[in-house]
Amino acid sequence: MASGSAARKPAPEPLVVLEEFLPYRLNVLAGLTSSALAQIYAERFGLSIPAWRVIVTLGQYECRTARDMAPDGVMHKSTVSRAVSALEKRGLVKRRPNLDDRREEWLALTPEGRAIYEAVAPEALAVGERLLSVLTAQEQKTLSALIDKLTRQARLLAPVEAEGDEA
Amino acid sequence: MASGSAARKPAPEPLVVLEEFLPYRLNVLAGLTSSALAQIYAERFGLSIPAWRVIVTLGQYECRTARDMAPDGVMHKSTVSRAVSALEKRGLVKRRPNLDDRREEWLALTPEGRAIYEAVAPEALAVGERLLSVLTAQEQKTLSALIDKLTRQARLLAPVEAEGDEA
DNA sequence: TTCCGTTCGTTGCTGCCGCAACCAATACCA
DNA sequence: TGGTATTGGTTGCGGCAGCAACGAACGGAA
């Protein structure tokens, strides 16, 4: 790699060094892990990331759609809607009207859906484990706490669509 | 928020709890910070994230395009290419042929480009600071080290386009 | 020199996401 | 009761990213 050492003039005054900028680094890391996982979801099971999230959520609970799929506003309504209808079309998810509130519908995994869930989940977990394997148990705890703190803070900084304000 | 407590049946056996799954949490965090930043880039300066990255990189150095913009394979070639031509069209970046290797071109910020750089950079940094403000100095160091470890590991797990293999 | 393999960069195509507008059903309030 | 605001969910539209195929230029070997 003895190439192009002349490429980088230090430049007047680097205000921002991208490689040290936290949001950038978070994006890079998240992107790498996402694509590692997406490869499994997509190539082997034909699932998009939103679809994967829907399946996992329905694997934990048997809740209803949208709001429940994206409790905090991650994933847009439309994203969830499309993921669900794709899954329904493939017969992995079944809709059932909620008679108490006919605006919403109950969603559940079909047997086929659950089969896929049980096939994908361990692999996804394995990737997560392999990722975390470079950290000690203590470091993992620390990381978890730091992520939580940052996420809380980020949620304050991001507008999150400003739901339900009037002023 | 006393709504829908009946929504969540515990379900047979939750193999994966999404809210505890590291890749998911990283994605959420990265997404939140990205959109906080993107708002600044986009609304106030009409920059996409790739465009911002190009500008920042050219603000540090005065290097050439593609490979230099995405040293590690973050950002696809095509993404960089389009970002650059958009910036050129707006007169924020100038191309200059490299006579030593006419496949590539030297890129540099125009005065207008640098002006935008100097306007955006502090705001972006401020967002980064506000994010990190919930962490102590020690925690910031720890976080940085953890991110590095994980990123290294993630790069091993991700295919990264498998450049230059033959078998 | 000529030929082949490789690298830098661009562009057409496709799919996905977010926005916003919209429909349907419910909640709130006089 | 009726009217308005709110919420759950769908869909059309525009933009952007990734893939892959291509063109242009370089490097090495005969």
Side-chain angles (χ1 to χ4, degrees), chain A:
Chain A
M1 288 305 170
S3 70
S5 55
R8 301 169 287 169
K9 301 182 188 176
E13 174 189 349
L15 301 176
V16 182
V17 179
L18 202 53
E19 305 83 24
E20 296 173 2
F21 190 48
L22 179 69
Y24 173 77
R25 293 167 69 196
L26 284 174
N27 251 324
V28 170
L29 176 55
L32 286 171
T33 67
S34 269
S35 57
L37 281 170
Q39 206 180 354
I40 296 177
Y41 305 153
E43 292 185 2
R44 317 200 19 199
F45 299 94
L47 297 178
S48 67
I49 288 173
W52 149 255
R53 288 179 179 171
V54 168
I55 286 198
V56 167
T57 306
L58 292 179
Q60 315 183 42
Y61 312 119
E62 315 206 354
C63 57
R64 48 184 169 29
T65 107
R67 278 285 182 271
D68 274 341
M69 295 298 165
D72 36 12
V74 195
M75 293 219 298
H76 204 264
K77 294 195 296 181
S78 57
T79 304
V80 175
S81 171
R82 281 185 255 257
V84 167
S85 57
L87 288 171
E88 188 192 22
K89 197 168 301 176
R90 285 182 55 187
L92 305 180
V93 160
K94 209 180 53 178
R95 306 171 118 117
R96 169 188 311 257
N98 175 5
L99 299 180
D100 289 345
D101 185 343
R102 297 208 316 279
R103 287 175 298 184
E104 56 190 20
E105 289 172 310
W106 296 101
L107 300 176
L109 292 178
T110 62
E112 297 85 353
R114 183 154 292 272
I116 284 202
Y117 169 66
E118 285 167 358
V120 189
E123 299 206 37
L125 282 176
V127 172
E129 292 301 324
R130 239 176 300 158
L131 242 188
L132 282 171
S133 67
V134 293
L135 304 185
T136 68
Q138 181 54 48
E139 285 175 323
Q140 297 183 20
K141 276 196 178 178
T142 305
L143 176 67
S144 183
L146 294 177
I147 290 181
D148 278 343
K149 274 194 192 176
L150 288 175
T151 302
R152 254 190 307 274
Q153 175 73 353
R155 203 161 273 140
L156 295 181
L157 301 183
V160 194
E161 185 58 16
E163 37 194 350
D165 58 347
E166 42 212 354

Side-chain angles (χ1 to χ4, degrees), chain B residues 78-136:
Chain B
S78 56
T79 304
V80 175
S81 172
R82 281 187 252 257
V84 167
S85 57
L87 289 171
E88 187 193 23
K89 199 168 298 177
R90 285 182 56 189
L92 305 180
V93 159
K94 210 181 52 179
R95 307 170 117 118
R96 170 187 309 259
N98 175 5
L99 299 180
D100 289 344
D101 184 343
R102 297 206 318 278
R103 285 175 302 185
E104 56 190 20
E105 287 172 311
W106 296 103
L107 300 176
L109 293 178
T110 63
E112 296 85 353
R114 184 155 292 272
I116 285 203
Y117 168 67
E118 285 166 359
V120 190
E123 299 205 38
L125 283 176
V127 172
E129 293 300 325
R130 239 175 301 158
L131 241 188
L132 283 171
S133 68
V134 293
L135 304 186
T136 68

Side-chain angles (χ1 to χ4, degrees), chain B residues 13-91:
Chain B
E13 174 190 349
L15 301 175
V16 183
V17 180
L18 203 52
E19 305 83 24
E20 297 173 2
F21 191 46
L22 178 68
Y24 173 76
R25 294 168 67 196
L26 285 174
N27 252 325
V28 170
L29 176 55
L32 286 171
T33 67
S34 268
S35 58
L37 282 169
Q39 207 181 352
I40 297 179
Y41 304 154
E43 290 185 4
R44 316 196 25 195
F45 300 94
L47 297 177
S48 66
I49 288 175
W52 148 256
R53 288 179 179 171
V54 168
I55 286 198
V56 168
T57 306
L58 292 179
Q60 315 183 41
Y61 312 119
E62 317 204 352
C63 56
R64 50 186 174 12
T65 109
R67 278 284 182 270
D68 274 340
M69 294 300 165
D72 36 11
V74 194
M75 292 221 298
H76 204 265
K77 296 194 296 181
S78 56
T79 304
V80 175
S81 172
R82 281 187 252 257
V84 167
S85 57
L87 289 171
E88 187 193 23
K89 199 168 298 177
R90 285 182 56 189

